[in-house]
Amino acid sequence: ILLQVAFKMYLGVTPSVSCSSAAGNEFSLILDKNPLVDFVEELPAERASLCYCNVLCGVIRGALEMVHLAAEVTFLQDRLKGDAVTEIGITFLRKAEDRKHKR
């Protein structure tokens, strides 16, 4: 829920969350509307593989690293590429370690 609040605060959209693994280490964020699409024009043919919205993946990965969670964040679907929705896949690479601080 915190993730949905952050998306609403910073991007003005609320993603739906879809768990895609039984282990609970993978899930997807599905955006019906991608706010970054408004700032991108049609890509030239020689730049068709460029993914402008990868900045979102970097922000999510960086935020997770700040709380010591290693994750792989990738685009699974992108409205700019003609898909119906924007879908970002997140896979946690390892579980959070319990740290005990000495006093």
Side-chain angles (χ1 to χ4, degrees), residues 23-90:
N25 67 333
E26 293 181 25
F27 65 96
S28 294
L29 300 175
I30 300 170
L31 300 168
D32 292 328
K33 180 181 181 265
N34 184 344
L36 299 181
V37 170
D38 297 336
F39 302 103
V40 178
E41 296 179 12
E42 188 173 332
L43 295 173
E46 64 272 3
R47 303 280 187 235
S49 64
L50 186 63
C51 184
Y52 279 105
C53 296
N54 253 350
V55 70
L56 293 176
C57 293
V59 168
I60 293 168
R61 182 176 173 210
L64 290 170
E65 285 179 357
M66 293 301 292
V67 293
H68 304 287
L69 293 172
E72 181 178 306
V73 184
T74 56
F75 262 95
L76 303 177
Q77 296 184 62
D78 190 354
R79 289 191 80 145
L80 287 173
K81 305 291 183 183
D83 296 320
V85 295
T86 298
E87 182 177 3
I88 301 171
I90 301 173

Side-chain angles (χ1 to χ4, degrees), residues 3 17-21 24-29 88-92:
L3 180 80
V17 180
S18 170
C19 188
S20 58
S21 77
N25 67 333
E26 293 181 25
F27 65 96
S28 294
L29 300 175
I88 301 171
I90 301 173
T91 303
F92 291 107

